[in-house]
Amino acid sequence: MIFNFALEYVIRKVQVNQDGLKLNGTHQHLAYIDDVNMLGGSIHTLKENAEAFVAATRETGLEVSADKTKYKVMSRDQNAGRIKSVRTDDSTFERVEKFKYLGTSLTSPNSIAEEIKSRLRSGNACYHSVQNLLSSRLLSKNVKIKIYRTIILPVVLYGCETWSLTLREESKLRVFENMVLRRIFGPRRDDVTGEGRRLHNE
């Protein structure tokens, strides 16, 4: 609780007379527990805000971990922000092309492809952990669908509200869903012979 009060004090102090990026009329310091995301319109602004943030944390007895602190440039200009690191008074923050923030993969070109791959890997791991339940004859199809919707689907679609999907990414998600549904409903019966036949994704 004391940590939360201290961090809130630091963020409010840094936001006074700040020149950083504004969204909806407010300066953007996004904090969740001990993860702080700082947005700036330029490297210069970001450096100034980082220095102010580090100074404010020292006043309250907190410390910013230079090893865990990274920065990333988001720009359509591929030549933007060629500086490899940002230095404050006694800390150096490394530039990275991608990193995870609150479980979501963020990349410099803001591509969703890496995040979809990561979500599908996690979804596959979750699917294999309950695979025996989905193929069990002791459970009804309704129960299996509930397992899919409450255990597997949230893992795959975590953070999907911010996704801007292409047809290729939609296809990958659909292939995964079809795989799970085939496990739940089993092989399809031929209308003529009555024999089961396994379906495959094209």
Side-chain angles (χ1 to χ4, degrees):
M1 183 68 75
I2 296 177
F3 172 81
N4 291 338
F5 286 139
L7 185 58
E8 179 70 17
Y9 168 80
V10 169
I11 292 176
R12 289 188 179 187
K13 183 171 183 179
V14 173
Q15 285 180 336
V16 176
N17 298 323
Q18 185 193 40
D19 294 327
L21 186 67
K22 285 188 177 182
L23 293 176
N24 296 327
T26 61
H27 295 291
Q28 292 306 292
H29 276 73
L30 310 178
Y32 181 77
I33 307 178
D34 61 345
D35 287 322
V36 178
N37 188 2
M38 193 178 300
L39 304 181
S42 67
I43 297 294
H44 177 71
T45 299
L46 187 64
K47 181 180 178 180
E48 286 187 343
N49 292 341
E51 289 175 343
F53 187 83
V54 170
T57 56
R58 286 175 180 164
E59 291 182 13
T60 58
L62 301 178
E63 183 179 351
V64 176
S65 173
D67 293 334
K68 294 181 180 179
T69 304
K70 312 294 180 185
Y71 89 95
K72 184 170 66 68
V73 175
M74 304 280 288
S75 174
R76 294 179 180 177
D77 181 6
Q78 295 182 352
N79 296 321
R82 288 195 169 189
I83 302 174
K84 296 300 181 182
S85 61
V86 170
R87 286 191 61 85
T88 59
D89 293 337
D90 55 359
S91 301
T92 300
F93 303 137
E94 176 191 4
R95 177 183 173 179
V96 295
E97 296 302 318
K98 65 177 181 179
F99 67 93
K100 278 210 167 197
Y101 181 69
L102 301 182
T104 300
S105 298
L106 303 175
T107 61
S108 291
N110 201 23
S111 170
I112 201 65
E114 287 296 323
E115 175 63 9
I116 296 295
K117 288 180 183 178
S118 175
R119 292 290 103 212
L120 289 176
R121 282 195 297 268
S122 299
N124 269 308
C126 187
Y127 162 72
H128 287 295
S129 69
V130 297
Q131 190 173 2
N132 291 337
L133 293 176
L134 298 181
S135 57
S136 173
R137 295 184 177 180
L138 301 177
L139 300 178
S140 68
K141 288 183 174 59
N142 287 337
V143 171
K144 294 176 183 179
I145 289 294
K146 287 183 180 179
I147 292 174
Y148 168 60
R149 288 179 175 173
T150 58
I151 298 178
I152 302 176
L153 203 57
V155 172
V156 176
L157 298 182
Y158 174 80
C160 66
E161 296 86 354
T162 62
W163 293 353
S164 180
L165 297 177
T166 63
L167 291 177
R168 176 179 294 182
E169 307 309 331
E170 285 185 15
S171 176
K172 290 179 181 179
L173 292 169
R174 194 172 293 113
V175 166
F176 175 81
E177 182 175 48
N178 289 340
M179 176 189 70
V180 178
L181 294 179
R182 279 199 304 272
R183 172 64 64 177
I184 293 174
F185 290 100
R188 184 174 179 177
R189 297 290 175 182
D190 189 280
D191 294 335
V192 178
T193 64
E195 296 179 352
R197 56 188 178 90
R198 189 177 296 276
L199 300 178
H200 299 277
N201 290 310
E202 297 181 357

